[in-house]
Amino acid sequence: PGLNPALLTTTRADARGAAARDTMADVWCFNVDAKFERNGIVSSNTLKHVELIDASRDKENARAGMNHRVDALNASAKRQWVLRFGGDKAANDMSVGHIKAIYGKQVKEGKLTIEDKANVKVLIQALPAECARLMKTLTTLKGQPPAQQKVFLASLGCCVKCEAKVAERRAKHEEKQRKLIAAQLEQAEHELAKKRKREQAEADREAAKAAKLSAQLERVERVKAEKETMEKAVEAKRQKIEEEKRNAAALVETLREEKEAVAEARRALKEEKKALDAEQKEVDAARARIESERRRCERDQEKLNAQLDAAKATAASLETARKAVEKESASLEKERERRETEAIKLEEQVKATEAKRAAWNEARKFKEEEAAWKAEKQAAAEHRRREAAAKREEAARRKAEREAATAAKMEEKRRKMEEWRAEYERWQRTGEAGTSPPPRPDQSSSPSGFYGTGGAPKTKSQPPKQKKKPILDDDDDDADGDRANDDDDGPASDTDADTNKQPDSDAAADPPLREKDEDPAVAARRAELERMQKEELQRQAKERAAREDADRKLRELEARRAKTKKAQKEMMDELRRKQEEEVAHREHQQRKTAAEAKIRQKAASITLATATDAIYDAHVAAYERLRSMDRITEANIPWPIPSNVLLLTPRDDAAARKKKIVRAISRWHPDKFNAAFGAKLVETERDAIMARVRSVSDAVIELRQVIN
């Protein structure tokens, strides 16, 4: 219940389609015994059973037993069909496209021979019907069009031996497909349940988010109203202060006009004196002048009426001096910033120069290594040339030794033939009955073959049979397809033909028992043919050795070139990586310097020393009163002034500023503030209070970085 019917229907349809496609697979095999013959040597291992495999799909599902689909067999002529002899444990493969000849004269006797382009033969022995079925399969794949190949493969099937195994494997495969379909349905149901759960959780999160947003909006409206109220109160206080200033100005004017009020003038003079003292502390450069004016004001205190105008003039001059000192201080600050900027630029130039010097050293080192590598390469080439010359001399020496050995063997063989000819003539002259002629030295019985037949010595009652040239008993259908490949192997085929004809020439050279003696011309022709055959074999062996040596040298040269290119590429990559690291380091330093300058600029705007000791003590006392409260709101917290977060005073030196930073961090760090007052905060204002605490803590930490 609750599942999507369309999804379940699609899943079931896909599963049924996959099962239907998998059940259409088939296996093509033949119950035969085979042996491989390479270079005239027949292997002693008999490979039982052969399979026809599509090589392009063998890696994916050849071992599954169902690696061919009859409905997908199109363009079979382009497929790479492979005969796999011996099954999976001792597999020997032969490509159908590489088969050069099929000897099928003894198919009715249950014997078949296949030869590929590498002159590797496969000797097959089985029932005649099985041999005929295998031969028909090979000729169809090599010569028939794709449509007929498809029809033939669809009706081919497997051998009788594998029918039960294939049926059992197909049943297991179908059972596996049924289980896979059930697992897919269960997974689809599980995915739908997870999807419903995710949708419900998403809806809950959206509802919580909406509630939180509404609470934040209400808090923002409340803060906005409080802000407007505070702004109105500030405006009222400002107007009141302005009014008081106007009243004070009027009072000053009245006092100025009332010269007779000595007491009022004395009080005004004392206040003026206090103001002058305050200005004297802020302006160190004008301290002596302010002190002299103060003493002069004290000395002239009794002459207040006469010196009142002079005192006012002195106050004006002090104000001008203060402004001049402030201007001088600003110019000094600008000069300091300019020098810092120049120092940073000079440091960057020094780093750039060092980077260029390092890059130049690296390039010089690379050129030296490249020159050393070229010298080593030339030395290696010279060494290889010397080795090649030594190998050529060794090959010439070995060739001379082989030719001398061959000449000695031929001379020994000729001597034995002369001795045998003399014995044969003596045997003919004596004519002893019941005796056999002397055996010829170069005559040997043919070895027993794979099929149990062997040669026998020739006698008078059994004259030698003339051997026939082997016939490639292949069908006419694949003659056109393999004619080009057979032409490529022309010299090798001619050599094989000469080799096959050699026993016939030897047999023809045997002296017939009906003749009196051997014809000398025939013997000379036979010797010449043997010499030419040996020379041709030696020439082919030398050419093969030369080709193999050339291929090996070419591979070694390519490997050395690839290794050299790889080393050069690695060296250039390392140099490029170092340059990129240097560029990244310079950019990082620039970003770091810009960030530090930005922090200093920001810190300068929030470290105005406008507070007094009384203001700082009142702030600390208000903060300590929070510990005795049971319920704390945002309005109860004594927040510091944004332009003077640490509440610095003009008298604070470096040690005092560091102490205030440490105390501010202990008060406004979010974790410490939450540990001290977290349980007392009003829940509706907790988020706003903690956000403001974090902003104050960040400002204090930035000031600590600048001051330290």
Side-chain angles (χ1 to χ4, degrees):
L3 297 178
N4 189 352
L7 179 60
L8 292 180
T9 304
T10 304
T11 304
R12 293 191 182 98
D14 294 341
R16 286 196 297 270
R21 288 194 300 269
D22 292 336
T23 54
M24 295 174 65
D26 202 352
V27 175
W28 302 315
C29 59
F30 307 90
N31 187 16
V32 300
D33 296 342
K35 287 187 176 181
F36 277 78
E37 179 181 345
R38 295 181 177 87
N39 299 326
I41 300 174
V42 179
S43 64
S44 61
N45 187 17
T46 301
L47 305 176
K48 297 182 178 294
H49 199 268
V50 60
E51 296 181 3
L52 179 62
I53 296 173
D54 186 358
S56 61
R57 307 175 69 180
D58 181 47
K59 294 181 179 180
E60 299 179 359
N61 51 11
R63 299 296 184 265
M66 298 183 178
N67 55 330
H68 309 293
R69 300 167 187 253
V70 177
D71 58 344
L73 291 176
N74 49 4
S76 299
K78 297 181 180 179
R79 293 175 178 268
Q80 297 181 359
W81 300 104
V82 176
L83 290 176
R84 175 163 291 174
F85 296 90
D88 296 338
K89 295 183 178 179
N92 286 270
D93 295 349
M94 176 179 285
S95 176
V96 176
H98 293 174
I99 293 178
K100 179 176 69 175
I102 304 172
Y103 304 94
K105 291 297 184 181
Q106 297 179 345
V107 170
K108 294 182 180 181
E109 299 177 4
K111 301 174 182 179
L112 180 65
T113 303
I114 302 172
E115 183 177 3
D116 64 359
K117 296 178 182 179
N119 297 329
V120 177
K121 294 183 180 180
V122 181
L123 310 177
I124 299 173
Q125 186 173 7
L127 295 176
E130 198 71 12
C131 290
R133 191 165 73 99
L134 177 57
M135 182 175 177
K136 179 64 177 175
T137 301
L138 296 177
T139 55
T140 302
L141 293 179
K142 289 180 67 63
Q144 296 298 329
Q148 295 185 9
Q149 291 180 9
K150 180 178 179 181
V151 174
F152 178 78
L153 292 175
S155 61
L156 181 60
C158 62
C159 63
V160 180
K161 183 178 179 182
C162 298
E163 287 181 353
K165 186 186 298 183
V166 171
E168 181 181 358
R169 192 179 300 166
R170 184 177 289 109
K172 291 182 179 179
H173 187 69
E174 291 176 355
E175 181 65 24
K176 182 178 180 181
Q177 290 298 323
R178 285 195 295 272
K179 292 181 180 180
L180 179 61
I181 292 171
Q184 290 177 353
L185 292 176
E186 184 178 355
Q187 184 178 2
E189 294 176 357
H190 182 64
E191 291 294 335
L192 288 174
K194 288 174 66 177
K195 184 177 180 181
R196 287 198 304 272
K197 188 175 179 180
R198 286 196 302 268
E199 291 176 352
Q200 184 64 29
E202 186 67 23
D204 295 341
R205 284 195 298 270
E206 290 295 334
K209 187 175 180 181
K212 185 176 180 180
L213 183 60
S214 61
Q216 290 179 355
L217 290 175
E218 292 177 358
R219 185 166 59 255
V220 168
E221 291 295 335
R222 186 167 59 255
V223 171
K224 185 177 180 182
E226 293 178 357
K227 183 177 180 182
E228 291 177 354
T229 303
M230 292 178 66
E231 288 178 354
K232 290 179 181 179
V234 170
E235 183 65 24
K237 289 183 179 180
R238 188 180 64 78
Q239 293 177 359
K240 186 177 179 182
I241 291 171
E242 291 293 336
E243 184 66 25
E244 291 178 355
K245 284 183 179 180
R246 287 194 295 270
N247 294 334
L251 181 59
V252 169
E253 188 68 23
T254 304
L255 292 174
R256 185 182 300 171
E257 294 176 356
E258 296 177 356
K259 294 182 180 181
E260 297 80 8
V262 179
E264 292 293 332
R266 186 181 290 112
R267 186 178 61 80
L269 185 59
K270 289 181 180 181
E271 291 178 357
E272 190 70 20
K273 177 184 174 183
K274 292 181 180 179
L276 291 175
D277 292 338
E279 292 296 332
Q280 183 183 5
K281 292 181 181 180
E282 295 178 358
V283 184
D284 297 334
R287 182 178 298 173
R289 185 181 299 176
I290 294 172
E291 185 66 23
S292 63
E293 292 295 335
R294 185 183 63 80
R295 288 195 299 268
R296 189 176 62 181
C297 289
E298 290 178 353
R299 287 194 304 267
D300 297 341
Q301 188 174 7
E302 297 177 354
K303 303 176 182 180
L304 182 60
N305 294 330
Q307 299 295 331
L308 183 58
D309 295 335
K312 290 181 179 180
T314 303
S317 63
L318 289 175
E319 181 68 21
T320 304
R322 186 180 64 81
K323 291 181 179 179
V325 171
E326 290 179 353
K327 186 176 180 181
E328 184 67 20
S329 177
S331 64
L332 290 175
E333 182 66 19
K334 290 182 180 178
E335 180 67 16
R336 184 181 61 81
E337 292 179 354
R338 185 182 65 80
R339 290 188 178 183
E340 289 180 354
T341 305
E342 290 179 354
I344 292 172
K345 290 182 179 179
L346 182 60
E347 184 178 0
E348 291 177 353
Q349 291 178 359
V350 170
K351 290 182 179 178
T353 304
E354 291 177 355
K356 290 181 181 179
R357 186 182 294 107
W360 183 81
N361 292 333
E362 188 69 23
R364 184 180 63 184
K365 182 180 179 181
F366 173 76
K367 290 182 179 179
E368 292 176 355
E369 291 178 354
E370 184 178 8
W373 173 77
K374 288 182 179 179
E376 184 179 354
K377 182 179 178 182
Q378 292 177 358
E382 184 65 26
H383 180 67
R384 287 195 297 273
R385 284 194 293 269
R386 290 197 298 269
E387 288 182 351
K391 288 181 179 179
R392 286 194 296 270
E393 294 176 358
E394 182 67 19
R397 185 182 62 78
R398 291 181 180 178
K399 179 180 178 181
E401 291 177 358
R402 286 196 298 270
E403 290 177 353
T406 303
K409 289 181 181 179
M410 292 296 296
E411 184 66 26
E412 180 68 19
K413 186 175 181 181
R414 190 178 295 107
R415 185 183 60 77
K416 290 182 180 180
M417 287 296 297
E418 292 295 336
E419 292 176 358
W420 171 80
R421 188 179 289 109
E423 292 179 1
Y424 184 76
E425 290 176 356
R426 187 168 54 255
W427 175 79
Q428 283 184 340
R429 286 194 301 270
T430 56
E432 297 178 359
T435 60
S436 60
R440 185 173 172 171
D442 59 347
Q443 182 179 6
S444 61
S445 59
S446 59
S448 59
F450 173 68
Y451 305 116
T453 61
K458 300 179 181 65
T459 60
K460 289 184 179 181
S461 60
Q462 185 181 358
K465 294 182 179 181
Q466 295 293 330
K467 295 184 180 179
K468 295 182 179 181
K469 182 179 180 180
I471 299 175
L472 301 178
D473 191 11
D474 198 356
D475 290 342
D476 297 336
D477 298 333
D478 59 345
D480 296 335
D482 293 337
R483 185 174 292 112
N485 296 329
D486 294 340
D487 293 340
D488 296 338
D489 300 332
S493 301
D494 295 341
T495 305
D496 295 339
D498 293 340
T499 305
N500 293 330
K501 290 179 181 179
Q502 184 64 29
D504 295 340
S505 62
D506 293 342
D510 290 338
L513 300 180
R514 295 186 302 270
E515 295 179 0
K516 184 69 176 176
D517 196 359
E518 184 183 20
D519 189 4
V522 173
R525 176 61 179 169
R526 181 176 57 80
E528 182 67 19
L529 288 175
E530 290 178 353
R531 184 185 63 77
M532 292 174 63
Q533 181 183 4
K534 290 182 179 179
E535 290 178 355
E536 180 66 21
L537 292 176
Q538 291 176 359
R539 185 185 63 80
Q540 292 179 1
K542 291 178 181 179
E543 289 179 354
R544 280 197 300 272
R547 285 197 299 270
E548 292 175 355
D549 190 33
D551 293 340
R552 180 181 59 78
K553 292 181 179 179
L554 181 60
R555 287 193 298 270
E556 291 177 354
L557 180 59
E558 291 177 352
R560 287 195 297 271
R561 288 178 179 175
K563 187 176 180 181
T564 304
K565 290 181 179 179
K566 183 178 179 182
Q568 292 177 353
K569 184 176 181 299
E570 290 177 352
M571 187 181 300
M572 296 302 296
D573 291 342
E574 183 66 16
L575 181 60
R576 192 179 300 109
R577 183 185 64 78
K578 290 182 179 179
Q579 293 177 353
E580 290 175 355
E581 287 180 355
E582 291 175 356
V583 172
H585 181 69
R586 287 198 299 271
E587 292 177 353
H588 173 69
Q589 292 297 331
Q590 292 175 0
R591 289 194 299 269
K592 184 178 179 181
T593 305
E596 291 176 354
K598 186 176 180 181
I599 290 174
R600 285 195 297 269
Q601 183 179 1
K602 183 178 179 182
S605 63
I606 61 175
T607 56
L608 299 177
T610 57
T612 60
D613 294 338
I615 295 174
Y616 181 79
D617 295 336
H619 174 75
V620 174
Y623 186 89
E624 293 297 331
R625 282 196 296 270
L626 294 177
R627 303 184 186 277
S628 61
M629 293 183 180
D630 297 331
R631 187 171 178 271
I632 300 175
T633 62
E634 188 176 1
N636 299 135
I637 300 174
W639 302 105
I641 304 171
S643 61
N644 192 3
V645 178
L646 299 177
L647 299 177
L648 299 176
T649 64
R651 298 192 307 171
D652 290 339
D653 55 359
R657 292 189 177 191
K658 290 184 179 180
K659 288 182 180 179
K660 287 188 176 181
I661 287 174
V662 173
R663 292 173 183 173
I665 291 176
S666 65
R667 294 192 191 101
W668 299 109
H669 193 276
D671 295 339
K672 296 182 179 179
F673 186 89
N674 191 24
F677 308 109
K680 300 179 181 181
L681 298 179
V682 178
E683 290 297 329
T684 57
E685 298 181 4
R686 178 183 294 275
D687 295 337
I689 292 173
M690 294 306 299
R692 196 167 177 181
V693 168
R694 282 191 291 270
S695 65
V696 174
S697 177
D698 294 340
V700 173
I701 291 173
E702 290 180 356
L703 287 176
R704 181 180 64 177
Q705 294 178 358
V706 174
I707 293 175
N708 290 340

